[in-house]
Amino acid sequence: MRGLLKYIKPYGFYMLLTLCLKFTAALMDLLIPSLLAKIIDDIVPRQDIQMIFVWGGVMLLCAVVSITTNVTANRMAEVSAGGMTRAVRHDLFSRITYLNAGQLDDFTIPSVVSRLTSDTYNVNRMLSRMQRIGVRGPILLIGGIVITMTMDPKLTLVLVASLPVILLIVVLITGKSVKIYERQQNMLDDMVRVIRENITGVRVIRALSKTEYERKRFDQVNESLAETERRAGSVSAASNPATTLVLNLGLTLVILVGAFLVQSGESGPGTIIAFLSYFTIILNAMLGITRIFIMCSKGLASARRITQVLEAPENMRILAGEEPDHGQGDCHVEFRNVSFSYLHRRDNLSNISFALKKGEVLGIIGPTGSGKSTIVNLLLRFYDADEGKILIEGRDIRTIPLSELRKRFGVVFQNDYLMAESIEKNIDYFRGLSGKEIEKAAVLARAQEFIKGKKGEMGADVAVRGNNLSGGQKQRIMIARALAAKPEILILDDASSALDYRTDALFRKALRENFEDTTIVMIAQRISSLKGADHILVMEEGKCIGYGTHRELLEGCGQYRQIYELQMGSMDGKEQRGSR
Ligand code: ADP
Ligand code: MG
């Protein structure tokens, strides 16, 4: 809640005004039954029609004032709640974009999404309900009891006697329904997870003919969600009838006791009628207040989830600059005994070292899960290394501001994505590049060949997730995107895996001829893609099991030679076909 205070403050005056209006409306509502009592008990017996009209008019006025102030205040409450929620959502979103990769791993993406959507919605409901009923409820409750006390203490006893019964019912039912509600939310999360997995994995599921199995899995979560909903429904279904029953019993009791009081002349019929109204007002106020409690417990839980993200520490600190440390010679990119673990259980990288001069190419090869992409993640400082140092031009990357650091890179990630925009915008990526630069990048990435064939050429639209392009075409656009800004360091993580051999070879030739000053880190599965690299790093289970040129590795690294022989055996034919 303290975290939310910052957002409430700007609306302080506005909310105060809302509360004043709510206060006026509640007073008017409390006044009306006593006016009625006065008319019936004092004015009617005098048979003064004019006075009846005057007091009737006053009653009407109260009703009009009540309804206008109430409606206005409710609208204002929605406006301020909406404004505050918007500000929260805005800050939350911008904080999320700055979360580092480790923090995102911890929160998980679906949870971040639900914090942005359903949690902010809960906070919105809480803020608006608090203003709408939070003031009105207590005023009506306390005001009602005070007025009835002054009118007739004996009848008030009836009221006070039935309050604990209602309170008990409400506490029991809400206690139970809050618990069920929490379970329901968790099940909803489960269902969303199954749907997500299903939709993202739809091709695999179909390919393996698991559709029927997946449908059963969905039916299971769906059934348990429905079951919880049923239970929540049957609990809350008891709530309204039970409270109405107590309310009606209380009303009957008031009429019974009232009848005796009127008979004995202790009280007037008007008072009894007013009493019935107050009774209803007070009980409704109580129900309103309990609902506020539920709303608040939900809202506060959500507010906590939101502030967790908002207050997540910024742990990618930029360290104070130090003298450039060039180690042995003039290196552009250097890993010095780097070790790293994502979950701090076992090392995902251990003791990795390499040094690249400006314009050199590093090839990385190794089985999946061996830590190749992790090297890239550390180099771009998505995560901080646990041990060792990563240097660019002799500067520890932790001393370089993130924006400056990342501006040096052009990257194609493994499983990268394209925007649903034109090809040109995908290559430009909001960097304001000129048409010439974009075109040149497309030519170098060998994307021009198929772009020419498209309707609208550069302006042709890319579908969501690039679904209207083949894997190789997507990769070529991504490569063009990486090349377009003439990066100092180019990172290609499995970027040419879907290119045919000929295109791959031509692309590498273009790289050599046009980017001789660019330092390149190239991760690939095919040795043919890496053969020409200045250094090749062979990875296995986070360790470097070979480092050197193609020739050196063929002689000195058994695993490398094994991969080479395997690939040459199966690829000879293809390569020849490709280059024909
Ligand atoms: P690859 O060589 O296929 O690119 P990665 O570098 O992506 O391998 O992954 C290396 C290891 O780190 C794998 O065992 C993988 O399970 C683990 N890993 C990768 N990313 C994460 C992450 N965000 N959280 C936890 N473990 C991860
Ligand atoms: Mg990878």
Side-chain angles (χ1 to χ4, degrees):
M1 193 70 195
R2 217 174 315 131
L4 285 183
L5 228 51
K6 183 175 124 206
Y7 298 96
I8 295 177
K9 236 181 220 156
Y11 287 92
F13 182 71
Y14 195 77
M15 282 168 78
L16 200 69
L17 206 67
T18 311
L19 300 188
C20 287
L21 288 179
K22 276 314 260 200
F23 189 76
T24 318
L27 282 190
M28 292 298 138
D29 286 343
L30 282 175
L31 208 59
I32 290 170
S34 3
L35 288 176
L36 185 66
K38 188 179 171 61
I39 293 174
I40 294 176
D41 288 348
D42 297 349
I43 318 252
V44 172
R46 274 194 256 152
Q47 304 218 325
D48 184 343
I49 301 286
Q50 215 172 353
M51 281 309 271
I52 292 179
F53 270 115
V54 170
W55 283 97
V58 173
M59 247 176 96
L60 190 67
L61 187 72
C62 283
V64 169
V65 171
S66 157
I67 195 159
T68 45
T69 47
N70 214 352
V71 169
T72 317
N74 284 353
R75 281 191 182 151
M76 287 171 68
E78 294 298 342
V79 168
S80 56
M84 288 184 272
T85 326
R86 209 192 60 195
V88 169
R89 220 180 279 135
H90 171 271
D91 286 4
L92 189 59
F93 182 76
S94 52
R95 185 73 197 89
I96 287 169
T97 53
Y98 283 108
L99 284 180
N100 65 48
Q103 288 170 323
L104 262 182
D105 287 348
D106 288 344
F107 284 124
T108 75
I109 304 262
S111 162
V112 164
V113 171
S114 75
R115 281 167 218 241
L116 250 177
T117 51
S118 75
D119 284 318
T120 48
Y121 176 77
N122 284 346
V123 168
N124 176 291
R125 291 294 79 196
M126 172 175 78
L127 291 173
S128 91
R129 288 295 137 146
M130 279 290 273
Q131 295 181 65
R132 290 176 61 162
I133 314 178
V135 177
R136 182 180 168 81
I139 293 176
L140 290 182
L141 183 68
I142 296 169
I145 291 179
V146 169
I147 292 178
T148 47
M149 286 280 246
T150 55
M151 280 171 80
D152 196 321
K154 273 194 207 123
L155 276 178
T156 312
L157 275 185
V158 176
L159 183 87
V160 170
S162 57
L163 277 184
V165 182
I166 299 237
L167 202 66
L168 192 72
I169 296 176
V170 167
V171 166
L172 281 183
I173 289 177
T174 52
K176 206 161 186 168
S177 59
V178 164
K179 266 201 210 97
I180 296 182
Y181 172 78
E182 269 173 14
R183 196 138 26 109
Q184 199 176 325
Q185 274 293 340
N186 290 340
M187 287 193 172
L188 203 65
D189 282 351
D190 277 353
M191 187 158 95
V192 171
R193 208 196 64 233
V194 172
I195 295 175
R196 268 179 69 106
E197 286 172 0
N198 220 308
I199 290 176
T200 40
V202 69
R203 288 197 194 156
V204 183
I205 290 166
R206 287 198 188 142
L208 299 179
S209 314
K210 287 287 180 211
T211 320
E212 191 56 25
Y213 168 79
E214 284 295 321
R215 229 195 52 212
K216 284 209 188 97
R217 197 158 76 107
F218 180 76
D219 281 349
Q220 261 172 21
V221 281
N222 194 10
E223 180 52 39
S224 42
L225 178 61
E227 176 58 33
T228 333
E229 275 169 350
R230 258 201 298 280
R231 211 165 319 145
S234 76
V235 169
S236 62
S239 140
N240 266 346
T243 42
T244 317
L245 178 73
V246 178
L247 177 68
N248 285 335
L249 284 179
L251 290 179
T252 319
L253 213 59
V254 170
I255 291 173
L256 254 177
V257 177
F260 282 108
L261 290 178
V262 172
Q263 192 109 54
S264 63
E266 271 184 63
S267 186
T271 313
I272 307 297
I273 291 173
F275 227 95
L276 294 178
S277 296
Y278 283 123
F279 203 82
T280 327
I281 288 177
I282 290 171
L283 290 185
N284 279 334
M286 237 180 67
L287 288 180
I289 291 172
T290 51
R291 244 175 257 140
I292 280 278
F293 272 113
I294 301 181
M295 197 72 85
C296 276
S297 65
K298 254 164 57 177
L300 286 178
S302 288
R304 251 195 310 279
R305 277 160 60 90
I306 291 172
T307 40
Q308 269 174 1
V309 178
L310 286 178
E311 287 166 6
E314 247 181 85
N315 56 6
M316 286 280 167
R317 288 262 153 71
I318 306 302
L319 303 182
E322 39 189 66
E323 275 300 295
D325 165 7
H326 286 291
Q328 348 92 329
D330 212 7
C331 287
H332 191 201
V333 177
E334 185 179 356
F335 266 54
R336 208 178 278 173
N337 306 102
V338 173
S339 295
F340 171 72
S341 166
Y342 285 103
L343 305 172
H344 300 286
R345 286 200 203 113
R346 64 185 178 85
D347 272 0
N348 295 101
L349 280 188
S350 26
N351 202 18
I352 300 295
S353 298
F354 59 82
L356 307 175
K357 295 207 169 56
K358 199 164 176 61
E360 282 190 328
V361 178
L362 171 74
I364 307 180
I365 193 165
T368 48
S370 58
K372 303 182 299 294
S373 302
T374 308
I375 292 181
V376 169
N377 287 341
L378 293 186
L379 185 54
L380 283 163
R381 208 180 173 207
F382 289 134
Y383 301 85
D384 269 336
D386 299 329
E387 280 166 44
K389 260 189 187 177
I390 301 170
L391 306 147
I392 290 182
E393 288 170 351
R395 288 164 74 192
D396 188 327
I397 57 166
R398 285 171 299 181
T399 63
I400 307 174
L402 283 182
S403 56
E404 190 196 318
L405 173 71
R406 296 194 180 143
K407 222 182 276 161
R408 295 162 181 258
F409 289 92
V411 272
V412 180
F413 291 111
Q414 196 173 15
N415 310 321
D416 213 348
Y417 81 107
L418 293 172
M419 304 181 287
E421 277 282 2
S422 68
I423 293 179
E424 189 172 11
K425 285 206 175 122
N426 265 294
I427 297 178
D428 177 29
Y429 213 81
F430 311 114
R431 288 174 295 191
L433 305 174
S434 71
K436 240 196 193 129
E437 286 172 305
I438 293 174
E439 180 121 357
K440 174 138 189 267
V443 170
L444 290 176
R446 317 232 36 109
Q448 201 63 339
E449 301 167 7
F450 78 87
I451 293 175
K452 278 270 183 296
K454 286 225 167 255
K455 212 174 137 214
E457 300 197 354
M458 274 292 183
D461 276 330
V462 175
V464 179
R465 286 168 177 274
N467 279 346
N468 60 346
L469 299 171
S470 78
Q473 292 173 338
K474 270 188 273 188
Q475 280 192 337
R476 280 184 264 177
I477 295 181
M478 288 176 210
I479 292 173
R481 181 170 78 193
L483 297 181
K486 299 197 193 66
E488 215 177 281
I489 305 165
L490 179 65
I491 293 181
L492 304 166
D493 187 351
D494 227 359
S496 54
S497 58
L499 301 186
D500 56 83
Y501 283 82
R502 195 180 78 98
T503 312
D504 191 16
L506 289 173
F507 162 57
R508 267 179 288 120
K509 184 158 165 270
L511 266 189
R512 258 196 316 278
E513 287 166 1
N514 294 278
F515 289 84
E516 60 271 328
D517 283 340
T518 301
T519 308
I520 302 176
V521 176
M522 186 189 282
I523 299 176
Q525 294 293 343
R526 300 178 194 152
I527 287 192
S528 62
S529 310
L530 303 178
K531 228 163 44 180
D534 300 292
H535 311 273
I536 299 173
L537 180 66
V538 188
M539 296 288 298
E540 196 173 277
E541 292 184 0
K543 294 181 193 68
C544 162
I545 56 165
Y547 182 68
T549 60
H550 177 65
R551 289 214 166 278
E552 289 164 4
L553 287 170
L554 273 185
E555 279 164 27
C557 178
Q559 279 95 329
Y560 185 81
R561 198 177 48 241
Q562 207 177 355
I563 304 173
Y564 179 70
E565 279 163 4
L566 267 173
Q567 294 193 351
M568 287 333 272
S570 65
M571 276 177 206
D572 265 352
K574 275 189 212 157
E575 196 147 32
Q576 276 164 17
R577 228 177 302 135
S579 53
R580 198 173 286 164

